[in-house]
Amino acid sequence: MSDFIPVNVPRFVGNELAYLSECIDSGWVSSEGRFVGAFETGMANLMGRKFAVAVQNGSNALDISIAALNIGPGDEVIVPSFTIISCVLQILRVGAVPVFVDSDVDTWNMDVSQVHDNISSKTKAVIAPHIYGLPIDMDPLVSICNEHGICLIEDAAEVIGQTYQGRPCGSFGKLSTVSFYPNKHITTGEGGMVLTDDPSIAEKLRSLRDLCHSPERRFKHYELGWNMRMSNLQAAVGLAQLEGLPDSIIRKRQIGMFYSEKFQDLSSVNLPIVHTDYADNIFWVYGMVLKEPTSRSVTDIIDKLNRCGIGCRPFFFPLHQQPLMDKYLFRGKSLVVSEYLGSHGFYIPSGLGLTDRDMEYVAANVRNILS
Ligand SMILES: *Cc1c(COP(=O)(O)O)cnc(C)c1O
């Protein structure tokens, strides 16, 4: 048996160490160092945006996006249930209401056709998280939002470097957010960013991440801010990772295609969609979903893989079923696809640091367990 293969291992093969050394040698380690601006500009160019604001993580990026839009008590924000908790934290903190929609059973992305029915006079925004490397069908979503004057927040954490009909993911929302956690296509250890074309929103975001110092007098404050500033150390790694992004996307597609080929004859599971007419999957993670009816359980599969030294994780737990929501009013809703994905889905090692040998070993064991 080889050593344990975790679900994710990051890869550092470019200028990461050289840029980090520059930070240390020059003494520029805080957010005032040169890499922060360079990384922001690079990300803005990648996503075809005018402004980028680097923060401490992807959850922060979502938090200040909600704050910058002045979303407050009673406002509604439409969000899919099948995503990470980060999408709703600030909504709940300010006393706004997440209105959950279901997802598509094949793409695992939010079912855009349900957005329309959930719009009310209180709807302020839609949060659209692209799931697991395949984009949401953006055209219909963008037109619904435009038609109703609703703000679109695009959560592009899982699709850095991906395109929708040839346009960069992250270029569609009024605001777009990304994360640079180690399992994302670019990592800074911890890190995130908000991107926008709107100069006044960009200014607000910069102020919110830096304690809301007033422009006329530093250390004087009219509003509540946060310290979410990204350090030069993080940005140094991020810039090097951004330089390597084209290769990373190629590698992620290789990993995904390899697994899909190995598993194509497994009748017990649904595999990720490899392409649609608007995008080719970049397999943020390689997910699999048990088909119904099934006598298998995800917990059992995870146990069996772990015993072979292979990391495996369950899919997101649907937000509308979170115990946390009991404290709020969101009860009695049933979103069957999100519930099915949450209980039947799991993902296997697919990080950029995975070796070809690891892939063969994982594929053989997954096949063995699922056949
Ligand atoms: C990873 C992720 C986040 C959160 O990012 P962190 O940097 O871990 O806070 C938010 N949204 C999506 C869709 C993600 O995948």
Side-chain angles (χ1 to χ4, degrees):
M1 194 183 84
S2 53
D3 290 329
F4 194 80
I5 304 172
V7 279
N8 179 65
V9 177
R11 186 176 71 161
F12 303 105
V13 290
N15 287 318
E16 288 87 353
L17 205 51
Y19 292 168
L20 274 174
S21 296
E22 185 187 318
C23 298
I24 303 290
D25 291 343
S26 67
W28 285 105
V29 291
S30 78
S31 61
E32 290 185 48
R34 77 165 185 104
F35 288 115
V36 178
F39 185 37
E40 286 176 335
T41 305
M43 284 300 296
N45 291 340
L46 174 74
M47 296 198 161
R49 309 304 311 234
K50 293 205 177 84
F51 307 101
V53 180
V55 292
Q56 277 296 328
N57 54 59
S59 305
N60 285 171
L62 286 155
D63 292 348
I64 50 169
S65 296
I66 293 295
L69 293 174
N70 294 314
I71 288 169
D75 290 342
E76 293 180 359
V77 180
I78 296 173
V79 56
S81 174
F82 188 67
T83 184
I84 190 167
I85 193 75
S86 313
C87 290
V88 296
L89 289 177
Q90 180 68 5
I91 298 172
L92 295 170
R93 285 198 181 103
V94 298
V97 181
V99 175
F100 295 116
V101 294
D102 212 354
S103 290
D104 180 89
V105 73
D106 297 315
T107 66
W108 311 335
N109 270 303
M110 72 191 291
D111 179 351
V112 173
S113 71
Q114 294 188 16
V115 171
H116 186 268
D117 295 340
N118 283 282
I119 292 174
S120 80
S121 58
K122 294 178 186 159
T123 310
K124 288 282 153 33
V126 175
I127 297 184
H130 302 283
I131 297 296
Y132 296 175
L134 190 71
I136 295 169
D137 192 3
M138 291 308 281
D139 274 351
L141 182 59
V142 169
S143 33
I144 295 170
C145 289
N146 288 345
E147 197 183 310
H148 292 85
I150 294 167
C151 236
L152 178 60
I153 301 174
E154 193 188 349
D155 180 350
E158 299 175 10
V159 289
I160 300 173
Q162 176 60 296
T163 58
Y164 170 85
Q165 290 184 357
R167 284 185 54 192
C169 290
S171 67
F172 294 89
K174 177 99 180 156
L175 295 92
S176 306
T177 64
V178 290
S179 158
F180 305 117
Y181 190 71
N183 60 5
K184 315 293 169 163
H185 296 86
I186 288 178
T187 186
T188 60
E190 302 284 350
M193 210 176 270
V194 190
L195 299 105
T196 182
D197 292 327
D198 185 315
S200 63
I201 290 182
E203 200 187 313
K204 183 101 199 251
L205 292 166
R206 287 184 197 286
S207 175
L208 284 165
R209 92 169 151 185
D210 188 19
L211 302 173
C212 291
H213 289 285
S214 76
E216 95 249 8
R217 170 69 164 86
R218 194 169 172 82
F219 300 118
K220 189 171 170 190
H221 308 270
Y222 293 89
E223 290 189 61
L224 289 174
W226 287 274
N227 176 0
M228 293 179 176
R229 301 182 304 256
M230 177 182 275
S231 78
N232 206 39
L233 298 165
Q234 289 166 292
V237 175
L239 187 65
Q241 290 263 301
L242 178 59
E243 293 165 357
L245 182 64
D247 279 345
S248 299
I249 298 294
I250 291 170
R251 178 62 180 162
K252 286 293 259 187
R253 286 203 170 113
Q254 257 175 12
I255 296 171
M257 301 295 286
F258 172 87
Y259 283 144
S260 284
E261 208 159 284
K262 290 280 183 194
F263 302 150
Q264 62 182 337
D265 62 327
L266 292 179
S267 57
S268 58
V269 280
N270 288 323
L271 303 177
I273 293 182
V274 173
H275 22 234
T276 64
D277 54 3
Y278 51 78
D280 295 337
N281 207 326
I282 57 171
F283 306 99
W284 173 58
V285 294
Y286 193 90
M288 306 172 84
V289 184
L290 290 170
K291 282 187 199 167
E292 282 284 27
T294 180
S295 54
R296 300 168 203 270
S297 82
V298 167
T299 335
D300 183 48
I301 291 166
I302 293 176
D303 280 352
K304 287 196 168 115
L305 283 169
N306 285 172
R307 263 181 266 134
C308 310
I310 297 171
C312 180
R313 297 263 172 90
F315 271 17
F316 292 129
F317 191 97
L319 297 187
H320 72 285
Q321 292 187 313
Q322 294 289 346
L324 160 70
M325 298 300 164
D326 290 351
K327 285 197 263 181
Y328 303 89
L329 49 158
F330 325 118
R331 294 278 82 205
K333 203 163 188 172
S334 147
L335 299 171
V336 289
V337 176
S338 306
E339 289 162 26
Y340 165 66
L341 294 174
S343 54
H344 289 64
F346 57 94
Y347 60 91
I348 59 176
S350 64
L352 286 161
L354 199 68
T355 65
D356 290 353
R357 240 180 101 226
D358 292 341
M359 274 155 62
E360 294 280 359
Y361 181 79
V362 171
N365 282 281
V366 168
R367 283 189 59 83
N368 189 23
I369 289 166
L370 291 174
S371 331

Short mmCIF file of all heavy atoms in Angstrom, two decimals, residues 56-62 82-87 127-132 155-159 177-184 189-192 284 316, ligand 1:
data_model
loop_
_atom_site.label_atom_id
_atom_site.label_comp_id
_atom_site.label_asym_id
_atom_site.label_seq_id
_atom_site.Cartn_x
_atom_site.Cartn_y
_atom_site.Cartn_z
N GLN A 56 -8.68 37.92 2.92
CA GLN A 56 -8.06 36.80 3.63
C GLN A 56 -8.55 35.42 3.19
O GLN A 56 -7.84 34.44 3.36
CB GLN A 56 -8.30 36.96 5.13
CG GLN A 56 -7.29 37.89 5.79
CD GLN A 56 -5.88 37.32 5.71
OE1 GLN A 56 -5.68 36.14 5.73
NE2 GLN A 56 -4.91 38.22 5.59
N ASN A 57 -9.76 35.32 2.69
CA ASN A 57 -10.28 34.02 2.23
C ASN A 57 -11.55 34.23 1.40
O ASN A 57 -12.07 35.35 1.32
CB ASN A 57 -10.52 33.05 3.40
CG ASN A 57 -11.43 33.65 4.45
OD1 ASN A 57 -12.56 34.01 4.17
ND2 ASN A 57 -10.92 33.77 5.67
N GLY A 58 -12.04 33.15 0.83
CA GLY A 58 -13.21 33.24 -0.03
C GLY A 58 -14.49 33.56 0.74
O GLY A 58 -15.42 34.17 0.20
N SER A 59 -14.54 33.13 1.99
CA SER A 59 -15.72 33.43 2.81
C SER A 59 -15.79 34.93 3.09
O SER A 59 -16.86 35.55 2.98
CB SER A 59 -15.66 32.65 4.13
OG SER A 59 -15.52 31.27 3.87
N ASN A 60 -14.65 35.53 3.42
CA ASN A 60 -14.56 37.00 3.57
C ASN A 60 -15.04 37.71 2.32
O ASN A 60 -15.69 38.75 2.39
CB ASN A 60 -13.09 37.47 3.68
CG ASN A 60 -12.47 37.20 5.02
OD1 ASN A 60 -11.27 37.37 5.15
ND2 ASN A 60 -13.24 36.79 6.00
N ALA A 61 -14.63 37.19 1.17
CA ALA A 61 -14.96 37.83 -0.11
C ALA A 61 -16.48 37.90 -0.25
O ALA A 61 -17.04 38.93 -0.66
CB ALA A 61 -14.34 37.05 -1.27
N LEU A 62 -17.16 36.83 0.14
CA LEU A 62 -18.63 36.82 0.09
C LEU A 62 -19.21 37.77 1.14
O LEU A 62 -20.17 38.51 0.87
CB LEU A 62 -19.16 35.40 0.29
CG LEU A 62 -18.96 34.48 -0.93
CD1 LEU A 62 -18.92 33.01 -0.52
CD2 LEU A 62 -20.05 34.71 -1.97
N PHE A 82 -27.44 23.69 -2.55
CA PHE A 82 -26.27 22.81 -2.71
C PHE A 82 -25.01 23.65 -2.95
O PHE A 82 -24.57 23.85 -4.08
CB PHE A 82 -26.49 21.81 -3.86
CG PHE A 82 -25.40 20.78 -3.93
CD1 PHE A 82 -25.25 19.84 -2.92
CD2 PHE A 82 -24.51 20.76 -4.99
CE1 PHE A 82 -24.22 18.90 -2.97
CE2 PHE A 82 -23.48 19.83 -5.05
CZ PHE A 82 -23.34 18.90 -4.04
N THR A 83 -24.47 24.17 -1.85
CA THR A 83 -23.22 24.92 -1.90
C THR A 83 -22.65 24.98 -0.50
O THR A 83 -23.17 24.35 0.43
CB THR A 83 -23.44 26.34 -2.49
OG1 THR A 83 -22.17 27.01 -2.60
CG2 THR A 83 -24.34 27.20 -1.60
N ILE A 84 -21.58 25.76 -0.32
CA ILE A 84 -20.90 25.86 0.97
C ILE A 84 -21.58 26.92 1.85
O ILE A 84 -22.15 27.88 1.33
CB ILE A 84 -19.40 26.18 0.74
CG1 ILE A 84 -18.57 26.06 2.01
CG2 ILE A 84 -19.23 27.56 0.13
CD1 ILE A 84 -17.06 26.05 1.75
N ILE A 85 -21.49 26.76 3.14
CA ILE A 85 -22.14 27.66 4.10
C ILE A 85 -21.69 29.12 3.94
O ILE A 85 -22.47 30.05 4.21
CB ILE A 85 -21.88 27.16 5.55
CG1 ILE A 85 -22.79 27.87 6.57
CG2 ILE A 85 -20.42 27.34 5.94
CD1 ILE A 85 -24.20 27.41 6.58
N SER A 86 -20.47 29.31 3.46
CA SER A 86 -19.93 30.67 3.27
C SER A 86 -20.86 31.58 2.47
O SER A 86 -20.85 32.79 2.66
CB SER A 86 -18.59 30.61 2.52
OG SER A 86 -17.76 29.64 3.08
N CYS A 87 -21.65 30.99 1.57
CA CYS A 87 -22.55 31.78 0.72
C CYS A 87 -23.63 32.49 1.53
O CYS A 87 -24.16 33.50 1.07
CB CYS A 87 -23.20 30.91 -0.35
SG CYS A 87 -22.04 30.35 -1.61
N ILE A 127 -26.94 34.84 -5.40
CA ILE A 127 -25.57 34.33 -5.33
C ILE A 127 -25.49 33.07 -6.18
O ILE A 127 -26.27 32.13 -5.98
CB ILE A 127 -25.14 34.02 -3.89
CG1 ILE A 127 -25.14 35.31 -3.06
CG2 ILE A 127 -23.74 33.38 -3.87
CD1 ILE A 127 -24.63 35.14 -1.65
N ALA A 128 -24.56 33.09 -7.12
CA ALA A 128 -24.45 31.99 -8.08
C ALA A 128 -23.09 31.31 -7.96
O ALA A 128 -22.12 31.75 -8.57
CB ALA A 128 -24.66 32.53 -9.49
N PRO A 129 -23.00 30.25 -7.17
CA PRO A 129 -21.73 29.52 -7.04
C PRO A 129 -21.62 28.44 -8.11
O PRO A 129 -22.45 27.54 -8.17
CB PRO A 129 -21.84 28.88 -5.65
CG PRO A 129 -23.31 28.75 -5.39
CD PRO A 129 -24.05 29.70 -6.27
N HIS A 130 -20.62 28.57 -8.96
CA HIS A 130 -20.37 27.51 -9.95
C HIS A 130 -19.87 26.29 -9.18
O HIS A 130 -18.99 26.41 -8.35
CB HIS A 130 -19.29 27.96 -10.93
CG HIS A 130 -19.62 29.22 -11.68
ND1 HIS A 130 -20.51 29.25 -12.73
CD2 HIS A 130 -19.20 30.49 -11.51
CE1 HIS A 130 -20.59 30.49 -13.19
NE2 HIS A 130 -19.82 31.26 -12.48
N ILE A 131 -20.42 25.13 -9.50
CA ILE A 131 -20.13 23.97 -8.66
C ILE A 131 -19.14 22.97 -9.30
O ILE A 131 -19.37 22.48 -10.41
CB ILE A 131 -21.45 23.23 -8.30
CG1 ILE A 131 -22.37 24.14 -7.48
CG2 ILE A 131 -21.17 21.91 -7.56
CD1 ILE A 131 -21.86 24.56 -6.10
N TYR A 132 -18.09 22.67 -8.57
CA TYR A 132 -17.15 21.58 -8.87
C TYR A 132 -16.47 21.68 -10.25
O TYR A 132 -16.06 20.65 -10.80
CB TYR A 132 -17.85 20.21 -8.73
CG TYR A 132 -18.33 19.87 -7.33
CD1 TYR A 132 -19.07 18.71 -7.09
CD2 TYR A 132 -18.05 20.68 -6.23
CE1 TYR A 132 -19.51 18.39 -5.81
CE2 TYR A 132 -18.49 20.37 -4.96
CZ TYR A 132 -19.22 19.21 -4.74
OH TYR A 132 -19.66 18.88 -3.49
N ASP A 155 -20.06 33.47 -7.51
CA ASP A 155 -19.03 32.84 -6.68
C ASP A 155 -18.22 31.89 -7.57
O ASP A 155 -18.66 30.79 -7.89
CB ASP A 155 -19.70 32.09 -5.51
CG ASP A 155 -18.68 31.41 -4.60
OD1 ASP A 155 -17.48 31.36 -4.95
OD2 ASP A 155 -19.09 30.92 -3.52
N ALA A 156 -17.05 32.39 -7.96
CA ALA A 156 -16.22 31.66 -8.94
C ALA A 156 -15.08 30.89 -8.28
O ALA A 156 -14.08 30.57 -8.93
CB ALA A 156 -15.70 32.63 -9.99
N ALA A 157 -15.24 30.57 -6.98
CA ALA A 157 -14.16 29.91 -6.24
C ALA A 157 -13.72 28.59 -6.87
O ALA A 157 -12.54 28.24 -6.82
CB ALA A 157 -14.62 29.65 -4.80
N GLU A 158 -14.66 27.87 -7.48
CA GLU A 158 -14.35 26.53 -7.99
C GLU A 158 -14.09 26.53 -9.50
O GLU A 158 -13.97 25.47 -10.11
CB GLU A 158 -15.50 25.57 -7.62
CG GLU A 158 -15.66 25.50 -6.11
CD GLU A 158 -16.85 24.67 -5.64
OE1 GLU A 158 -17.47 23.98 -6.46
OE2 GLU A 158 -17.16 24.73 -4.43
N VAL A 159 -14.05 27.72 -10.09
CA VAL A 159 -13.89 27.79 -11.56
C VAL A 159 -12.85 28.83 -11.99
O VAL A 159 -12.98 29.44 -13.05
CB VAL A 159 -15.24 28.09 -12.27
CG1 VAL A 159 -16.18 26.90 -12.20
CG2 VAL A 159 -15.89 29.35 -11.71
N THR A 177 -16.66 36.59 -6.70
CA THR A 177 -15.74 36.26 -5.62
C THR A 177 -14.96 35.01 -5.97
O THR A 177 -15.43 34.17 -6.74
CB THR A 177 -16.50 36.00 -4.30
OG1 THR A 177 -17.33 34.84 -4.47
CG2 THR A 177 -17.36 37.19 -3.91
N VAL A 178 -13.74 34.92 -5.42
CA VAL A 178 -12.96 33.68 -5.55
C VAL A 178 -12.30 33.36 -4.22
O VAL A 178 -12.22 34.21 -3.33
CB VAL A 178 -11.86 33.77 -6.65
CG1 VAL A 178 -12.46 33.82 -8.03
CG2 VAL A 178 -10.95 34.96 -6.42
N SER A 179 -11.84 32.12 -4.11
CA SER A 179 -11.09 31.66 -2.94
C SER A 179 -9.77 31.10 -3.43
O SER A 179 -9.68 30.57 -4.54
CB SER A 179 -11.89 30.56 -2.23
OG SER A 179 -11.03 29.77 -1.43
N PHE A 180 -8.75 31.22 -2.59
CA PHE A 180 -7.44 30.64 -2.91
C PHE A 180 -7.04 29.60 -1.87
O PHE A 180 -5.87 29.46 -1.51
CB PHE A 180 -6.38 31.74 -3.02
CG PHE A 180 -6.73 32.83 -3.99
CD1 PHE A 180 -6.92 34.14 -3.55
CD2 PHE A 180 -6.90 32.57 -5.35
CE1 PHE A 180 -7.26 35.16 -4.42
CE2 PHE A 180 -7.24 33.58 -6.24
CZ PHE A 180 -7.43 34.88 -5.78
N TYR A 181 -8.03 28.90 -1.36
CA TYR A 181 -7.76 27.77 -0.46
C TYR A 181 -6.94 26.73 -1.23
O TYR A 181 -7.01 26.68 -2.46
CB TYR A 181 -9.12 27.20 0.03
CG TYR A 181 -8.97 26.20 1.13
CD1 TYR A 181 -8.59 26.62 2.40
CD2 TYR A 181 -9.16 24.84 0.90
CE1 TYR A 181 -8.40 25.69 3.42
CE2 TYR A 181 -8.98 23.92 1.91
CZ TYR A 181 -8.60 24.35 3.18
OH TYR A 181 -8.40 23.44 4.17
N PRO A 182 -6.18 25.86 -0.53
CA PRO A 182 -5.27 24.95 -1.26
C PRO A 182 -5.93 23.99 -2.26
O PRO A 182 -5.24 23.44 -3.12
CB PRO A 182 -4.57 24.18 -0.14
CG PRO A 182 -4.56 25.16 0.99
CD PRO A 182 -5.89 25.87 0.91
N ASN A 183 -7.23 23.77 -2.18
CA ASN A 183 -7.82 22.89 -3.19
C ASN A 183 -8.36 23.66 -4.40
O ASN A 183 -8.91 23.05 -5.31
CB ASN A 183 -8.92 22.02 -2.56
CG ASN A 183 -10.06 22.83 -1.95
OD1 ASN A 183 -10.09 24.05 -2.06
ND2 ASN A 183 -10.99 22.15 -1.31
N LYS A 184 -8.20 24.98 -4.43
CA LYS A 184 -8.68 25.74 -5.60
C LYS A 184 -7.62 25.73 -6.71
O LYS A 184 -6.49 25.32 -6.48
CB LYS A 184 -9.04 27.17 -5.20
CG LYS A 184 -9.86 27.30 -3.93
CD LYS A 184 -11.27 26.73 -4.02
CE LYS A 184 -11.88 26.68 -2.63
NZ LYS A 184 -13.27 26.54 -2.48
N GLY A 189 -2.58 29.51 0.22
CA GLY A 189 -2.73 28.96 1.57
C GLY A 189 -4.14 29.24 2.04
O GLY A 189 -5.00 28.38 2.03
N GLU A 190 -4.36 30.47 2.50
CA GLU A 190 -5.71 31.01 2.68
C GLU A 190 -5.74 32.28 1.84
O GLU A 190 -4.72 32.97 1.73
CB GLU A 190 -5.99 31.36 4.14
CG GLU A 190 -5.87 30.21 5.13
CD GLU A 190 -7.05 29.24 5.09
OE1 GLU A 190 -8.08 29.54 4.44
OE2 GLU A 190 -6.93 28.16 5.72
N GLY A 191 -6.88 32.61 1.29
CA GLY A 191 -6.95 33.84 0.50
C GLY A 191 -8.23 33.91 -0.29
O GLY A 191 -8.93 32.91 -0.45
N GLY A 192 -8.57 35.12 -0.72
CA GLY A 192 -9.77 35.30 -1.53
C GLY A 192 -9.72 36.64 -2.22
O GLY A 192 -8.79 37.43 -2.00
N TRP A 284 -12.96 20.79 -10.50
CA TRP A 284 -12.41 21.31 -9.23
C TRP A 284 -12.18 20.15 -8.28
O TRP A 284 -11.12 19.99 -7.71
CB TRP A 284 -13.35 22.36 -8.62
CG TRP A 284 -12.89 22.77 -7.26
CD1 TRP A 284 -11.66 23.31 -6.96
CD2 TRP A 284 -13.58 22.63 -6.03
NE1 TRP A 284 -11.57 23.52 -5.59
CE2 TRP A 284 -12.73 23.11 -5.00
CE3 TRP A 284 -14.85 22.14 -5.68
CZ2 TRP A 284 -13.11 23.13 -3.67
CZ3 TRP A 284 -15.22 22.18 -4.35
CH2 TRP A 284 -14.35 22.66 -3.35
N PHE A 316 -21.34 18.52 -0.50
CA PHE A 316 -21.91 19.52 0.41
C PHE A 316 -23.14 18.97 1.11
O PHE A 316 -23.89 18.17 0.53
CB PHE A 316 -22.35 20.78 -0.35
CG PHE A 316 -21.22 21.57 -0.95
CD1 PHE A 316 -21.26 21.94 -2.29
CD2 PHE A 316 -20.14 21.97 -0.19
CE1 PHE A 316 -20.24 22.68 -2.85
CE2 PHE A 316 -19.10 22.71 -0.74
CZ PHE A 316 -19.16 23.06 -2.08
C1 LIG B 1 -13.96 27.30 -1.18
C2 LIG B 1 -15.23 28.00 -1.43
C3 LIG B 1 -15.61 29.12 -0.69
C4 LIG B 1 -14.93 29.56 0.57
O1 LIG B 1 -13.63 29.92 0.44
P1 LIG B 1 -12.66 29.91 1.72
O2 LIG B 1 -11.43 30.54 1.15
O3 LIG B 1 -12.46 28.50 2.11
O4 LIG B 1 -13.28 30.74 2.77
C5 LIG B 1 -16.76 29.79 -1.07
N1 LIG B 1 -17.51 29.37 -2.09
C6 LIG B 1 -17.19 28.27 -2.81
C7 LIG B 1 -18.09 27.86 -3.93
C8 LIG B 1 -16.05 27.54 -2.49
O5 LIG B 1 -15.77 26.42 -3.17
#
